[in-house]
């Protein structure tokens, strides 16, 4: 496959994203519409019905919903998600400004998860039924079952409040990153550990593993080269999938740790019915998830030449 | 086997027993009392129906038994060392430069994500062989463009090509013994003999002994010097191929012969052996073929004596009757 066809493939995939994004924007628009408009919240309890009506007219909220929708889509197509009434500025730049913080948290959590999960999963698979395998299995069930906000609170209580080793919340230094990354990454680590274990068990029973042993290769070479390479495809696909759900988990974790990311912004925007901000946040998250799936497909292609793109 | 031949043997398997560990009952023996030996450069065959323990015997020589199987008795002497009791690391060092193996399933025996070149290099490195020799080897197994093959991955090759890669991989280190576990069963009939010929020609040039596992007597007849007939985990008859196949000394060998098609065969129907191979939990001390044997008597419930005549050995209570019947019948 040449560079040209990879380019064509990427272009095709990008084109396919457009209807998906349009659908997401539409769904979010109507969800927000159902929740109700923010005028009441904006003007407070003492506003007169006349003031409310004037405000609604100014914001275009008195028009039929279909007209509102068309207007909205029209401006979204030009990259304009409207203005956040809370901040008094365009919504999209606010969202993009918060993005790096969320990505830092999510990437940190994924890296932590992989660093823990790959060795543990491989060990469990190669020592199946042993003590460590059983311990790892039990802990991973527990870790998966713990809600990350609860884990976050427990971590704060232990390491920040009692031991005073790490800051309670906020951002600004590496120390601030430690607890949220652990809170967010633990469940993912458990998930990936189980996946690495089951993939490795399946792969280690394959004929080509026997061939590798038959050549006189050392156990380490067989497990870490021949087997782990084949585990790459399933593990990567789940990791990337996990990354998407991790963004969701990050919303809650960010609130617990007052982490200045997209999650905190979105939660706040929803409760304040800041429609423009909600729309822009969801849009950015959607683009991120779609981009991740494209990246994962391209990665597979690089490793596994049997997968035919297109 | 006499004392003077023992010194020159490459591999001597004696009373081999392989057991499967079972969770809730006693261990099950899947090979139970297999004995045979192979001399340097010899072309030997292990024949028998499915379930007789041929492949498991090969894998125990390689130290590659499945996790639930282990050698639980007997010995596997390789040039003086007993592999049955050897450390794992010792056996590992033998794999490649001393003993190599070709497997039944070429389609799944190569790592799908690694290039052919990489997988060959791994094998070559074990025997300190370089890239030039790898290319030469690929040329010898019949690839017109070895350099191109090196960069390809298994899915780009046909079954026959993959098996030729496996042959190259096994023979790259010029091993002393090549174990071939039904190497052509999974291949197209049209290329089976081609692949076999290649395997034997190369082994012959290198002086490598070959032990082929097969249930195809026509293959064995043409390509093997000696034959070991396995039944229900035991070797029931051994000897030079020609004499064993022309004058079997075990009723199972005779039954196998009459169920195999031969060139110029005028029989309208091939005979089949009545019944099935007893499963390992049904094995006892007596002759295990007796439930299917036309010659069986009560005596067969006792362990049959091993009868050694010149270069042949067999284990049947009724050899005399068997030979008498063969004399009466028109010679094959």
């Amino acid at each position: 496959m040449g560079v040209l066809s990879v380019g064509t493939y990427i272009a095709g995939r990008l084109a396919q994203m457009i209807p998906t994004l349009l659908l997401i924007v539409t769904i979010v628009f109507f969800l927000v519409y159902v929740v109700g408009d923010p005028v009441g919240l904006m003007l407070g309890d003492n506003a007169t019905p006349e003031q409310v009506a004037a405000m609604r007219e100014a914001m275009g909220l008195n028009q039929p919903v279909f007209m509102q929708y068309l207007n909205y889509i029209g401006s979204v197509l030009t990259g304009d998600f409207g203005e956040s009434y809370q901040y008094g500025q365009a919504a999209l730049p606010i969202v993009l400004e918060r993005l790096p913080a969320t990505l830092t948290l999510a990437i940190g959590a994924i890296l932590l998860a992989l660093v823990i999960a790959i060795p543990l999963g491989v060990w469990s698979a190669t020592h199946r039924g042993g003590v460590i395998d059983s311990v790892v299995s039990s802990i991973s069930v527990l870790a998966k079952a713990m809600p990350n906000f609860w884990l976050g609170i427990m971590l704060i209580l232990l390491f920040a409040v009692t031991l005073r080793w790490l800051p309670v919340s906020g951002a600004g230094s590496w120390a601030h990153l430690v607890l949220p990354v652990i809170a967010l990454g633990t469940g993912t680590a458990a998930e990936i550990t189980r996946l690495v274990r089951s993939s490795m068990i399946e792969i280690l029973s394959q004929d080509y593993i026997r061939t590798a042993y038959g050549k006189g290769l050392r156990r380490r070479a067989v497990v870490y080269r021949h087997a782990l390479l084949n585990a790459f495809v399933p593990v990567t696909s789940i990791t990337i999938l996990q990354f998407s759900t991790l963004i969701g988990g990050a919303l809650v974790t960010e609130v617990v740790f007052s982490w200045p990311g997209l999650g905190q912004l979105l939660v706040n925007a929803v409760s304040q019915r800041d429609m423009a901000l909600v729309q822009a946040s969801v849009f950015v998250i959607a683009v991120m998830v779609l981009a991740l799936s494209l990246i994962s497909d391209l990665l597979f292609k690089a490793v596994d030449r049997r997968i035919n793109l297109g | 086997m006499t004392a003077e031949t023992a010194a020159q043997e490459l591999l001597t398997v004696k009373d081999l027993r392989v057991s499967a560990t079972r969770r809730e009952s006693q261990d099950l023996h899947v090979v139970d009392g297999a004995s045979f030996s192979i001399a340097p450069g010899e072309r030997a065959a292990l024949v028998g129906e499915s379930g007789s323990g041929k492949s498991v015997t090969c894998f125990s020589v390689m130290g590659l038994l499945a996790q639930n199987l282990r050698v639980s008795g007997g010995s596997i002497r390789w040039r003086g060392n007993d592999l049955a009791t050897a450390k794992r690391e010792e056996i590992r060092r033998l794999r490649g430069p001393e003993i190599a193996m070709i497997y039944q399933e070429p389609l799944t025996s190569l790592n799908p994500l690694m290039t052919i070149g990489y997988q060959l290099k791994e094998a070559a490195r074990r025997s300190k062989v370089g890239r030039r020799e790898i290319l030469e080897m690929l040329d010898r197994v019949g690839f017109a463009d070895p350099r191109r093959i090196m960069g390809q991955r298994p899915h780009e090759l046909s079954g026959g090509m993959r098996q030729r890669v496996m042959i190259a991989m096994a023979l790259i280190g010029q091993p002393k013994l090549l174990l071939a576990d039904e190497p052509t069963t999974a291949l197209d009939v049209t290329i089976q003999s081609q692949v076999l010929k290649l395997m034997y020609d190369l082994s012959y040039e290198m002086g490598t002994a070959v032990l082929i596992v097969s249930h195809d007597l026509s293959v064995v007849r043409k390509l093997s010097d000696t034959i070991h007939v396995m039944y229900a985990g035991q070797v029931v008859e051994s000897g030079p191929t020609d004499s064993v196949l022309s004058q079997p000394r075990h009723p199972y060998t005779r039954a196998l012969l009459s169920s195999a098609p031969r060139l110029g065969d005028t029989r309208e129907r091939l005979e089949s052996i009545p019944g099935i191979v007893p499963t390992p939990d049904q094995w006892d001390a007596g002759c295990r073929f007796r439930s299917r044997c036309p010659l069986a008597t009560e005596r067969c419930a006792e362990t049959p004596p091993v009868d050694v005549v010149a270069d042949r050995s067999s284990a049947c209570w009724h050899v005399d009757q068997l030979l008498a019947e063969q004399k009466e019948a028109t010679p094959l």
Side-chain angles (χ1 to χ4, degrees), chain B:
Chain B
M1 185 179 62
T2 56
E4 72 218 64
T5 58
Q8 348 166 326
E9 298 298 355
L10 198 58
L11 174 75
T12 306
V13 173
K14 190 135 193 1
D15 298 325
L16 178 69
R17 176 194 276 172
V18 178
S19 309
T21 323
R22 288 191 295 181
R23 218 167 253 190
E24 271 151 29
S25 51
Q26 267 196 314
D27 285 0
L28 195 64
H29 309 310
V30 293
V31 171
D32 191 8
S35 303
F36 62 93
S37 57
I38 295 170
E42 185 181 325
R43 300 181 303 172
L46 211 50
V47 300
E49 284 164 280
S50 316
S52 55
K54 305 173 305 249
S55 300
V56 173
T57 303
C58 275
F59 284 123
S60 34
V61 173
M62 283 292 274
L64 287 181
L65 287 172
Q67 271 200 336
N68 62 332
L69 296 178
R70 72 199 147 81
V71 174
S72 58
S75 61
I76 303 171
R77 297 202 80 79
W78 173 258
R79 306 170 79 201
N81 297 322
D82 186 4
L83 302 186
T85 54
K87 289 205 178 77
R88 236 189 244 174
E89 178 63 13
E90 272 176 69
I91 304 178
R92 183 187 73 77
R93 285 174 200 275
L94 296 179
R95 291 186 206 131
E98 302 244 330
I99 313 174
M101 188 157 176
I102 297 172
Y103 310 87
Q104 197 169 344
E105 292 292 341
L107 294 181
T108 53
S109 291
L110 287 163
N111 194 319
L113 300 187
M114 291 177 170
T115 60
I116 301 299
Y118 185 86
Q119 299 187 58
L120 279 169
K121 271 184 226 155
E122 276 185 330
R125 210 176 300 136
R126 293 268 306 122
S127 310
K128 306 200 166 43
V129 170
R131 183 180 162 86
R132 217 193 48 198
E133 284 91 338
I134 297 175
L135 290 171
E136 207 177 284
M137 192 70 200
L138 283 172
D139 177 60
R140 286 169 84 181
V141 296
F143 287 109
D145 189 353
R147 269 168 223 282
R148 202 169 67 90
I149 295 295
M150 293 282 276
Q152 288 185 309
R153 286 181 169 72
H155 73 276
E156 296 171 81
L157 309 181
S158 69
M161 289 164 96
R162 288 188 222 184
Q163 200 62 310
R164 283 189 281 155
V165 168
M166 292 301 291
I167 292 173
M169 196 188 276
L171 293 178
I172 190 83
Q174 309 213 346
K176 300 195 167 52
L177 174 66
L178 175 67
L179 301 169
D181 183 15
E182 308 212 20
T184 56
T185 310
L187 300 182
D188 259 17
V189 185
T190 48
I191 58 162
Q192 284 184 357
S193 59
Q194 196 190 347
V195 167
L196 281 172
K197 186 173 182 315
L198 184 69
M199 185 181 93
Y200 276 103
D201 285 352
L202 285 172
S203 307
Y204 181 76
E205 286 166 30
M206 295 176 175
T208 299
V210 179
L211 175 66
I212 189 172
V213 168
S214 178
H215 53 245
D216 187 346
L217 285 180
S218 62
V219 164
V220 171
R221 190 190 298 272
K222 270 185 290 183
L223 298 167
S224 303
D225 310 320
T226 49
I227 184 169
H228 307 284
V229 181
M230 272 192 93
Y231 186 78
Q234 294 175 320
V235 175
V236 293
E237 176 164 14
S238 290
T241 309
D242 289 342
S243 73
V244 169
L245 295 185
S246 60
Q247 195 186 48
R249 293 176 68 88
H250 195 284
Y252 178 61
T253 313
R254 184 179 68 174
L256 265 186
L257 273 167
S258 51
S259 66
R262 293 194 59 182
L263 208 60
D265 206 332
T266 51
R267 289 174 295 177
E268 290 203 351
R269 296 185 71 162
L270 288 172
E271 285 169 45
S272 61
I273 310 175
I276 51 162
V277 186
T279 52
D281 54 317
Q282 298 165 335
W283 297 353
D284 58 18
C287 174
R288 290 167 192 166
F289 187 57
R290 68 179 188 275
S291 60
R292 305 166 76 187
C293 181
L295 303 177
T297 59
E298 275 174 24
R299 202 182 186 186
C300 298
E302 292 167 43
T303 311
V306 178
D307 186 17
V308 180
V309 177
D311 46 6
R312 297 186 52 179
S313 71
S314 56
C316 175
W317 284 109
H318 303 293
V319 187
D320 297 338
Q321 196 189 338
L322 185 74
L323 293 175
E325 280 181 15
Q326 281 172 29
K327 248 179 208 161
E328 281 168 35
T330 41
L332 286 169

